[in-house]
Amino acid sequence: APRKRKKRTGFSSPPKPYCEVCGRTDLPIERHHVIFRSRGGKDVEENRMDLCILCHKEAHGERVSR
């Protein structure tokens, strides 16, 4: 039988209104897993950060021009 995927329940607390890396408030904020879920990171508050879209892309190794 195929394995059932666990339904993601979402985050328990609302995102902060600023980026935890650069402090920006003028860009959309995204949730980031410090230890990527693909590498065994848990979906818990202690493993999450709120980052602006630029810092989030950089956290995933994407080049960003500022």
Side-chain angles (χ1 to χ4, degrees):
R3 289 175 49 186
K4 287 186 178 182
R5 289 185 63 141
K6 214 177 198 183
K7 185 177 179 187
R8 191 166 176 199
T9 58
F11 297 103
S12 59
S13 65
K16 293 175 180 65
Y18 60 88
C19 176
E20 292 185 63
V21 172
C22 71
R24 288 184 76 156
T25 59
D26 61 324
L27 293 173
I29 301 297
E30 299 178 338
R31 286 284 169 95
H32 170 66
H33 289 89
V34 178
I35 300 172
F36 300 161
R37 293 179 67 207
S38 62
R39 295 186 182 153
K42 303 292 182 194
D43 195 18
V44 295
E45 288 294 324
E46 295 78 22
N47 190 40
R48 299 180 195 133
M49 289 182 73
D50 297 317
L51 306 178
C52 71
I53 57 173
L54 297 179
C55 289
H56 196 193
K57 286 178 184 270
E58 287 182 355
H60 285 276
E62 297 179 36
R63 290 183 179 241
V64 176
S65 59
R66 292 191 181 253

